[in-house]
Every structure is written in C-alpha cells, then in structure tokens.
Amino acid sequence: MSATLFPFLRTKSLSPSVLLRGAHSSRVSYAQKIQAHNNSKFKRCYSQFRSTQDRTAVGVFTPTAAAVFVVTGVGLFYYFRHEKAKLLEQRQKEMEEKSVGRAHVGGPFVLTTHDNKSFSEKDLLGKWSMMYFGFTNCPDICPAELDKIGGIVTSLEKDYGRIFQPVFISVDPARDSVPQMARYLSDFHPRILGLTGEYATVKQTCKAYRVYFSTPPNADPAGDYLVDHSIYVYLMDPRGNFVEAFGQSSTEEEVVERVRKEIGKWEAQTGKKV
Amino acid sequence: MGWFGGSKSEQATPVSRENRQKCWETRDAYFECLDRVGVLKAGEEGKACAKENTLYEENCAKSWIEYFNKRRILAEQQKDMLAQAKVQSQEARRANS
C-alpha cells in the first residue's frame, strides 16, 4: 500500500515500516531506509494531496475505496460460487463411488428385447428400473409378480412420469424366443420390456444379478417343464446401481413407498429425479 | 392339452392370461372336491373327483399339474407345522407366566 495511492490511510504512528521493524529486527536498517524514503516522499505528496485529504475528511469512502469494495465483493461472489459448485461435484462423485453397504448386483449384458432390438445394461441408465427374472411357462408366481410390477409402475408414473423401466428377463431361453416373449408380454403392462438371448448370455446375466435358475443348457424347446428360479424384483437407480430386492411378500404399496423414498433421497443429492 | 396346439413338435405358444385363469379355476374346483372327500394327495381319491380332474387335466399343462399337486401337500405340511409352532409358543408362554 503506497502512500501515493492511499494518502488518506496514512498515519505516522502506523506506517508499515514501523510494523516491519517490530517483526523483523534483522531488517531494521532496510526498513528504516524505506521509511526515510517514504517519509520524504510522503512529505512531498502530503502537500500535493492535502486538498484531496480535506475533501475526504468526512470518511474513508472514496471512489477508489468503493471500486476496491465492489471488485472484492464481485470476486468473492464468484469465488464462493465456484467453491460451492466444486463441493457439489465432489459430493456427487462420492455418491457415485459409494460402494460400502451396496450389494454387487448387476453387470454388463447384451440381450434382445421382445421387439427384436439389442439391449444392454447401458440402456437402463437414466431411469429407475425394476428387474424381474422368470419364464413364460411359469404357472403362477411370475404372472403375479409381473402384475404387481405393472401396478407399481402405473401408480408411480402418475406422479413422476415415465422415468421407470420395468424389465422381464427370461431364464428359459430355449422356449422363450423373441415372438414368444412378445405374445406373453401383451397380457401385461405395456411398459414391461422382455429380454431373452442365447443360453450362455442369459446364464452370464443371471450370474451378474445373483439369480439362480435350474434350466439345463440342452432343454427341449417343445418340452413341458418348469424352471426353478430366484423370484426377487430388483430396484436399480438411474446410474444402474442396485438399490433393493423385493420378495414375493412385499406388497405393491410397500414397493411404491420405498421407491418414492429413494427418489426423494436421489433428488436431495442430485437435484433431479433421475 | 389344448394350448399346445395339438402337436408336440411345434414350439409351445405362451399361456395367455385367459388360459391361466381357466387352469387355476379348474384346479381350485378339483382341490375343493379333494377337500370334500378328505384326500390330500391328488390321485388317491379313486373315482370321487373324476369330472373335476378331467377338466383340470384339460386346462393345465402336465408340468403345472405336478407342481400344483406337490404344492398342495407342501402347503398342508406347512399349515401343520405352523399350527404346531403356535401351540408350542402358547405352551411356553403359559409355562413362563
């Protein structure tokens, strides 16, 4: 802060050289030189700015001070905005990386939809998905669970719109061809997407999703047999991470309530519903 | 079996909602009959539920019939076990108080 710039702030008792002298005794001579220089300069300037000082004697608020104030204010505003954005980004990143207490359910897969399109785990991103594994010749549990999923999707879509993707993955690929899946699913909620594929692909997908099933690899496509399999409905978040598994005993209302809670948590963290 | 299209070599068509409903209804009718004659295991009722059984077999696949029949026995055993557990817990409570 030079005396020529801020003459109104200078007082003899509080010159920077005095403060310097107190703090660094080794620099006394240098500081004294500066002070001597400043003082001589100050004396010259003092007379020069005397009239200015008189005018500003009412206070320290000069156009210069105002400018410094505004610049500092604007600077701080942008600084804090930047810091806040950085913090939010960090929190989001933490959430993405959060893996403690989360089951490792899910993984990469490429299967075929009931309308004969390729579908991978990446196509699930950006939506809350409900995944169920079963087969079309299932006597009673699968159709009941699929009807339950349909009811859940209907009531959730009323409030949130189409941000849900129910998926039915076949564990009986020998019999569940693409047209078979299409005919079967025409009886259920229109949003339910059927997935089937090669035995090996289905097996690998089931492994990633921790789903057990009993179909042998060489099953007769025309045979009359049942498949023993896990009957959980998985809820996955818009980033494809596992959230919860619902068993047969979970009612439609319970699942809807839980999904609402999860969307609320998600919204609090990301500012978005998906 | 009506909904296999008559031919075994053809690939099975999926069971429609209507087909399933019909199968479940005939199953329930047959099991009610078994309950009336006091038979748990399907097939041990003699000629008592012949009419219901025919309808059941006409409307449900063999694999489904096996599954439902087995489950009827399992459900009965479960009922017994649950009742037994209830009695035991009540006895335990009585003993404690």
Side-chain angles (χ1 to χ4, degrees), chain A residues 136-141 143-144 147 174-177 179-181 183-184 187-189 221-226, chain B residues 1 3-4 7-18 20 23-24 27 61-64 66-68 71:
Chain A
T136 63
N137 191 39
C138 184
D140 51 1
I141 298 172
D147 276 337
R175 286 183 300 186
D176 291 344
S177 60
Q180 172 93 353
M181 292 289 273
R183 279 195 299 265
Y184 181 70
D187 271 339
F188 296 95
H189 194 288
D224 177 23
Y225 57 88
L226 297 186
Chain B
M1 266 167 274
W3 37 266
F4 271 117
S7 165
K8 267 274 175 190
S9 60
E10 239 175 74
Q11 195 180 340
T13 52
V15 186
S16 69
R17 188 178 288 276
E18 214 178 308
R20 272 194 301 273
C23 165
W24 295 343
R27 170 201 64 189
K62 217 174 141 211
S63 60
W64 288 32
E66 277 170 24
Y67 164 77
F68 290 138
R71 210 181 48 184

Coordinates of all heavy atoms in Angstrom, one line a residue, chain A residues 136-141 143-144 147 174-177 179-181 183-184 187-189 221-226, chain B residues 1 3-4 7-18 20 23-24 27 61-64 66-68 71:
Chain A
T136 N -41.9 -67.7 -19.4 CA -43.3 -67.5 -19.9 C -44.2 -68.7 -19.5 O -45.4 -68.6 -19.4 CB -43.4 -67.3 -21.4 OG1 -42.9 -68.5 -22.1 CG2 -42.6 -66.1 -21.8
N137 N -43.6 -69.9 -19.3 CA -44.4 -71.1 -18.9 C -44.6 -71.2 -17.4 O -44.9 -72.2 -16.9 CB -43.8 -72.3 -19.5 CG -44.8 -73.5 -19.4 OD1 -46.0 -73.4 -19.6 ND2 -44.3 -74.7 -19.0
C138 N -44.4 -70.1 -16.7 CA -44.4 -70.0 -15.2 C -45.9 -70.2 -14.7 O -46.7 -69.4 -15.2 CB -43.8 -68.7 -14.8 SG -43.6 -68.5 -13.0
P139 N -46.2 -71.1 -13.9 CA -47.6 -71.4 -13.5 C -48.3 -70.2 -12.8 O -49.4 -69.9 -13.1 CB -47.5 -72.6 -12.6 CG -46.1 -73.2 -12.7 CD -45.3 -72.1 -13.2
D140 N -47.7 -69.7 -11.8 CA -48.5 -68.6 -11.0 C -47.6 -67.5 -10.4 O -48.1 -66.4 -10.4 CB -49.3 -69.3 -10.0 CG -48.5 -70.2 -9.0 OD1 -47.3 -70.4 -9.2 OD2 -49.1 -70.8 -8.1
I141 N -46.4 -67.8 -10.0 CA -45.6 -66.7 -9.4 C -45.2 -65.6 -10.3 O -45.4 -64.4 -10.0 CB -44.4 -67.3 -8.6 CG1 -44.8 -68.3 -7.6 CG2 -43.5 -66.2 -8.0 CD1 -43.7 -69.1 -6.9
P143 N -46.5 -64.6 -13.3 CA -47.6 -63.7 -13.7 C -48.0 -62.8 -12.6 O -48.3 -61.6 -12.8 CB -48.7 -64.6 -14.2 CG -48.3 -66.0 -13.9 CD -46.8 -66.0 -13.7
A144 N -48.1 -63.3 -11.4 CA -48.5 -62.5 -10.2 C -47.5 -61.4 -10.0 O -47.9 -60.2 -9.7 CB -48.6 -63.4 -9.0
D147 N -47.8 -58.7 -12.7 CA -48.9 -57.9 -12.5 C -48.6 -56.9 -11.4 O -49.1 -55.7 -11.4 CB -50.2 -58.7 -12.1 CG -50.9 -59.3 -13.4 OD1 -50.7 -58.7 -14.5 OD2 -51.6 -60.3 -13.3
A174 N -34.5 -71.4 -24.1 CA -34.8 -72.4 -25.1 C -36.2 -72.3 -25.6 O -36.4 -72.4 -26.8 CB -34.6 -73.8 -24.5
R175 N -37.1 -72.0 -24.7 CA -38.5 -71.8 -25.1 C -38.9 -70.4 -25.4 O -39.8 -70.1 -26.1 CB -39.5 -72.5 -24.1 CG -39.4 -74.0 -24.1 CD -40.4 -74.6 -23.1 NE -40.1 -74.2 -21.8 CZ -40.7 -74.7 -20.7 NH1 -41.7 -75.6 -20.8 NH2 -40.4 -74.3 -19.5
D176 N -38.3 -69.5 -24.6 CA -38.7 -68.1 -24.7 C -38.0 -67.3 -25.8 O -37.1 -66.6 -25.6 CB -38.5 -67.4 -23.4 CG -39.4 -67.9 -22.3 OD1 -40.4 -68.5 -22.7 OD2 -39.2 -67.6 -21.1
S177 N -38.5 -67.6 -27.0 CA -38.0 -66.9 -28.2 C -38.5 -65.4 -28.2 O -39.4 -65.1 -27.4 CB -38.4 -67.6 -29.5 OG -39.8 -67.6 -29.5
P179 N -40.6 -63.9 -30.4 CA -42.0 -63.8 -30.6 C -42.8 -64.3 -29.4 O -43.9 -63.8 -29.1 CB -42.3 -64.6 -31.9 CG -41.0 -65.3 -32.2 CD -39.9 -64.6 -31.5
Q180 N -42.2 -65.4 -28.8 CA -42.9 -66.0 -27.6 C -43.0 -64.9 -26.5 O -44.0 -64.7 -25.8 CB -42.1 -67.2 -27.1 CG -42.5 -67.8 -25.8 CD -43.5 -68.9 -25.9 OE1 -43.9 -69.2 -27.0 NE2 -43.8 -69.5 -24.8
M181 N -41.9 -64.2 -26.3 CA -41.9 -63.1 -25.2 C -42.9 -62.0 -25.6 O -43.6 -61.5 -24.7 CB -40.5 -62.5 -25.2 CG -39.4 -63.4 -24.6 SD -39.6 -63.7 -22.8 CE -38.7 -62.4 -22.2
R183 N -45.6 -62.2 -27.4 CA -47.0 -62.7 -27.2 C -47.3 -62.7 -25.7 O -48.4 -62.3 -25.2 CB -47.2 -64.1 -27.8 CG -47.5 -64.0 -29.3 CD -48.0 -65.4 -29.8 NE -47.1 -66.5 -29.5 CZ -46.2 -66.9 -30.4 NH1 -46.2 -66.4 -31.6 NH2 -45.4 -67.9 -30.1
Y184 N -46.4 -63.2 -24.9 CA -46.6 -63.3 -23.5 C -46.8 -62.0 -22.8 O -47.7 -61.8 -22.0 CB -45.4 -64.0 -22.9 CG -45.5 -64.3 -21.4 CD1 -46.4 -65.2 -20.8 CD2 -44.7 -63.6 -20.5 CE1 -46.5 -65.4 -19.5 CE2 -44.8 -63.8 -19.1 CZ -45.7 -64.7 -18.6 OH -45.7 -64.9 -17.3
D187 N -50.0 -59.4 -22.5 CA -51.0 -59.6 -21.4 C -50.7 -58.7 -20.2 O -51.5 -58.6 -19.3 CB -51.1 -61.0 -20.9 CG -52.0 -61.9 -21.7 OD1 -52.9 -61.3 -22.3 OD2 -51.9 -63.1 -21.6
F188 N -49.5 -58.0 -20.3 CA -49.1 -57.3 -19.1 C -48.9 -55.8 -19.4 O -49.2 -55.3 -20.5 CB -47.8 -57.9 -18.5 CG -48.0 -59.3 -18.0 CD1 -47.7 -60.4 -18.9 CD2 -48.5 -59.5 -16.8 CE1 -47.9 -61.7 -18.4 CE2 -48.7 -60.8 -16.3 CZ -48.4 -61.9 -17.2
H189 N -48.4 -55.0 -18.4 CA -48.2 -53.6 -18.5 C -47.4 -53.3 -19.8 O -46.4 -53.9 -20.0 CB -47.6 -53.0 -17.3 CG -47.6 -51.6 -17.2 ND1 -46.9 -50.7 -18.0 CD2 -48.3 -50.7 -16.4 CE1 -47.1 -49.5 -17.7 NE2 -48.0 -49.4 -16.7
P221 N -36.9 -77.3 -26.7 CA -37.7 -76.1 -26.9 C -39.2 -76.4 -26.9 O -40.0 -75.6 -26.6 CB -37.3 -75.6 -28.3 CG -36.0 -76.3 -28.5 CD -36.0 -77.6 -27.8
A222 N -39.6 -77.7 -27.1 CA -41.0 -78.1 -27.1 C -41.4 -78.8 -25.9 O -42.6 -79.3 -25.7 CB -41.3 -78.9 -28.4
G223 N -40.5 -79.0 -25.0 CA -40.8 -79.7 -23.7 C -41.7 -79.0 -22.8 O -41.8 -77.8 -22.8
D224 N -42.3 -79.8 -21.9 CA -43.2 -79.3 -20.9 C -42.5 -79.4 -19.6 O -42.5 -80.5 -18.9 CB -44.5 -80.0 -20.9 CG -45.5 -79.6 -19.8 OD1 -45.3 -78.4 -19.4 OD2 -46.4 -80.3 -19.4
Y225 N -41.8 -78.4 -19.2 CA -41.0 -78.4 -17.9 C -41.2 -77.1 -17.2 O -41.5 -76.1 -17.8 CB -39.6 -78.8 -18.2 CG -38.8 -77.8 -19.1 CD1 -38.2 -76.7 -18.6 CD2 -38.8 -78.1 -20.5 CE1 -37.6 -75.8 -19.4 CE2 -38.1 -77.2 -21.3 CZ -37.5 -76.0 -20.8 OH -36.9 -75.2 -21.6
L226 N -40.8 -77.1 -15.9 CA -40.8 -75.8 -15.2 C -39.4 -75.4 -14.8 O -38.5 -76.3 -14.9 CB -41.6 -76.0 -13.9 CG -43.1 -76.3 -14.0 CD1 -43.8 -76.2 -12.7 CD2 -43.8 -75.3 -15.0
Chain B
M1 N -53.9 -81.5 -24.2 CA -53.6 -80.2 -23.7 C -53.9 -79.2 -24.7 O -53.2 -79.0 -25.7 CB -52.2 -80.1 -23.3 CG -52.0 -80.4 -21.8 SD -50.4 -80.7 -21.4 CE -50.2 -82.4 -21.8
W3 N -53.7 -76.0 -25.2 CA -52.9 -74.8 -25.7 C -51.5 -75.2 -26.2 O -50.7 -74.3 -26.3 CB -52.9 -73.7 -24.7 CG -52.9 -74.1 -23.2 CD1 -53.9 -74.2 -22.4 CD2 -51.7 -74.5 -22.5 NE1 -53.5 -74.7 -21.2 CE2 -52.2 -74.8 -21.2 CE3 -50.4 -74.6 -22.8 CZ2 -51.3 -75.2 -20.2 CZ3 -49.5 -75.0 -21.8 CH2 -50.0 -75.3 -20.5
F4 N -51.3 -76.5 -26.4 CA -50.0 -76.8 -27.1 C -50.2 -77.0 -28.6 O -49.3 -77.4 -29.3 CB -49.4 -78.1 -26.5 CG -48.6 -77.8 -25.3 CD1 -48.9 -78.2 -24.0 CD2 -47.4 -77.0 -25.4 CE1 -48.1 -78.0 -22.9 CE2 -46.6 -76.7 -24.3 CZ -47.0 -77.2 -23.1
S7 N -49.9 -80.4 -31.4 CA -48.7 -81.0 -31.9 C -47.5 -80.8 -31.0 O -47.2 -79.7 -30.6 CB -48.4 -80.5 -33.3 OG -47.0 -80.9 -33.7
K8 N -46.9 -81.9 -30.6 CA -45.8 -81.8 -29.7 C -44.5 -81.2 -30.3 O -43.7 -80.6 -29.6 CB -45.5 -83.2 -29.1 CG -46.3 -83.4 -27.8 CD -45.5 -82.9 -26.6 CE -46.3 -83.0 -25.3 NZ -45.6 -82.3 -24.2
S9 N -44.4 -81.4 -31.6 CA -43.1 -81.0 -32.3 C -43.1 -79.4 -32.4 O -42.0 -78.8 -32.5 CB -43.0 -81.6 -33.6 OG -44.1 -81.3 -34.4
E10 N -44.3 -78.8 -32.5 CA -44.4 -77.4 -32.6 C -43.9 -76.7 -31.3 O -44.0 -77.3 -30.3 CB -45.8 -77.0 -32.8 CG -46.1 -76.3 -34.1 CD -47.6 -76.1 -34.3 OE1 -48.1 -75.2 -33.5 OE2 -48.2 -76.8 -35.1
Q11 N -43.4 -75.5 -31.5 CA -43.0 -74.8 -30.3 C -44.2 -74.3 -29.5 O -45.2 -73.9 -30.1 CB -42.1 -73.6 -30.6 CG -41.4 -73.2 -29.3 CD -40.5 -72.0 -29.5 OE1 -40.1 -71.7 -30.7 NE2 -40.2 -71.3 -28.5
A12 N -44.2 -74.5 -28.2 CA -45.3 -74.1 -27.4 C -45.6 -72.6 -27.5 O -44.7 -71.8 -27.5 CB -45.0 -74.4 -25.9
T13 N -46.9 -72.3 -27.6 CA -47.3 -70.9 -27.6 C -47.4 -70.5 -26.1 O -47.7 -71.3 -25.3 CB -48.6 -70.7 -28.3 OG1 -49.6 -71.6 -27.7 CG2 -48.5 -70.9 -29.8
P14 N -47.2 -69.2 -25.8 CA -47.3 -68.9 -24.3 C -48.7 -69.0 -23.8 O -49.7 -68.8 -24.6 CB -46.8 -67.4 -24.3 CG -47.1 -66.9 -25.7 CD -46.9 -68.1 -26.6
V15 N -48.8 -69.3 -22.6 CA -50.1 -69.4 -21.9 C -50.6 -67.9 -21.8 O -49.9 -67.1 -21.3 CB -49.9 -70.0 -20.5 CG1 -51.3 -70.2 -19.9 CG2 -49.1 -71.3 -20.6
S16 N -51.8 -67.7 -22.3 CA -52.4 -66.4 -22.1 C -53.0 -66.2 -20.8 O -53.2 -67.2 -20.0 CB -53.5 -66.2 -23.2 OG -54.6 -67.0 -22.9
R17 N -53.3 -65.0 -20.4 CA -54.0 -64.7 -19.2 C -55.2 -65.5 -19.0 O -55.5 -66.0 -17.9 CB -54.3 -63.2 -19.1 CG -54.7 -62.7 -17.7 CD -55.0 -61.2 -17.8 NE -53.7 -60.4 -17.8 CZ -53.0 -60.1 -16.7 NH1 -53.4 -60.5 -15.5 NH2 -51.9 -59.4 -16.8
E18 N -56.0 -65.6 -20.1 CA -57.3 -66.3 -20.0 C -57.0 -67.8 -19.7 O -57.7 -68.4 -18.9 CB -57.9 -66.2 -21.4 CG -59.4 -66.1 -21.4 CD -59.9 -65.9 -22.8 OE1 -59.4 -65.0 -23.5 OE2 -60.7 -66.7 -23.3
R20 N -54.5 -69.1 -18.3 CA -54.0 -69.3 -16.9 C -55.2 -69.3 -15.9 O -55.3 -70.1 -15.0 CB -53.1 -68.2 -16.5 CG -51.6 -68.5 -16.8 CD -50.7 -67.5 -16.1 NE -51.0 -66.1 -16.5 CZ -50.4 -65.5 -17.5 NH1 -49.6 -66.1 -18.3 NH2 -50.7 -64.2 -17.8
C23 N -57.1 -72.5 -16.0 CA -56.4 -73.5 -15.4 C -56.5 -73.4 -13.8 O -56.8 -74.4 -13.2 CB -54.9 -73.5 -15.8 SG -53.8 -74.5 -14.7
W24 N -56.4 -72.2 -13.3 CA -56.4 -72.0 -11.9 C -57.8 -72.3 -11.4 O -58.0 -72.9 -10.3 CB -56.1 -70.6 -11.5 CG -54.7 -70.2 -11.8 CD1 -53.6 -71.0 -12.1 CD2 -54.2 -68.8 -11.9 NE1 -52.5 -70.3 -12.3 CE2 -52.8 -68.9 -12.2 CE3 -54.7 -67.6 -11.8 CZ2 -51.9 -67.8 -12.4 CZ3 -53.9 -66.5 -12.0 CH2 -52.5 -66.6 -12.3
R27 N -58.3 -76.1 -11.3 CA -57.5 -76.6 -10.2 C -58.2 -76.4 -8.9 O -58.3 -77.3 -8.1 CB -56.2 -75.9 -10.2 CG -55.3 -76.2 -8.9 CD -54.3 -75.1 -8.7 NE -54.9 -73.8 -8.4 CZ -54.2 -72.7 -8.3 NH1 -52.9 -72.6 -8.5 NH2 -54.8 -71.5 -8.0
A61 N -51.2 -77.6 -18.1 CA -50.1 -78.5 -18.6 C -49.7 -79.5 -17.6 O -50.0 -79.3 -16.4 CB -48.9 -77.6 -19.0
K62 N -49.2 -80.6 -18.0 CA -48.8 -81.7 -17.1 C -47.8 -81.1 -16.0 O -47.9 -81.5 -14.9 CB -48.1 -82.8 -17.9 CG -48.4 -84.2 -17.4 CD -47.9 -85.2 -18.3 CE -47.3 -86.4 -17.5 NZ -46.2 -87.1 -18.1
S63 N -46.8 -80.3 -16.5 CA -45.9 -79.8 -15.5 C -46.5 -78.9 -14.5 O -46.1 -78.9 -13.3 CB -44.8 -79.0 -16.3 OG -45.4 -77.9 -16.9
W64 N -47.6 -78.2 -14.9 CA -48.3 -77.3 -13.9 C -49.0 -78.2 -12.9 O -49.1 -77.9 -11.7 CB -49.2 -76.4 -14.7 CG -48.6 -75.3 -15.4 CD1 -47.4 -75.4 -16.1 CD2 -49.1 -74.0 -15.7 NE1 -47.1 -74.2 -16.7 CE2 -48.2 -73.3 -16.5 CE3 -50.3 -73.4 -15.3 CZ2 -48.4 -72.0 -16.9 CZ3 -50.5 -72.1 -15.8 CH2 -49.5 -71.4 -16.5
E66 N -48.4 -81.2 -11.9 CA -47.4 -81.8 -11.0 C -47.0 -80.8 -9.9 O -47.0 -81.1 -8.7 CB -46.2 -82.3 -11.7 CG -46.3 -83.6 -12.4 CD -45.1 -83.9 -13.3 OE1 -44.0 -83.3 -13.1 OE2 -45.3 -84.7 -14.2
Y67 N -46.8 -79.6 -10.4 CA -46.4 -78.5 -9.5 C -47.5 -78.2 -8.5 O -47.2 -78.1 -7.2 CB -46.0 -77.3 -10.3 CG -45.8 -76.0 -9.6 CD1 -44.7 -75.7 -8.8 CD2 -46.8 -75.0 -9.7 CE1 -44.6 -74.5 -8.2 CE2 -46.7 -73.8 -9.1 CZ -45.6 -73.5 -8.3 OH -45.5 -72.3 -7.7
F68 N -48.7 -78.0 -9.0 CA -49.8 -77.6 -8.1 C -50.1 -78.7 -7.1 O -50.3 -78.5 -5.9 CB -51.1 -77.3 -8.9 CG -51.0 -76.0 -9.7 CD1 -51.5 -76.0 -11.0 CD2 -50.5 -74.9 -9.1 CE1 -51.4 -74.8 -11.7 CE2 -50.4 -73.7 -9.9 CZ -50.9 -73.7 -11.2
R71 N -47.5 -78.8 -4.4 CA -47.6 -77.6 -3.6 C -48.7 -77.8 -2.6 O -48.7 -77.3 -1.5 CB -47.7 -76.3 -4.4 CG -47.1 -75.2 -3.6 CD -47.2 -73.9 -4.3 NE -48.6 -73.7 -4.8 CZ -48.9 -72.6 -5.6 NH1 -48.0 -71.8 -5.9 NH2 -50.2 -72.5 -6.0

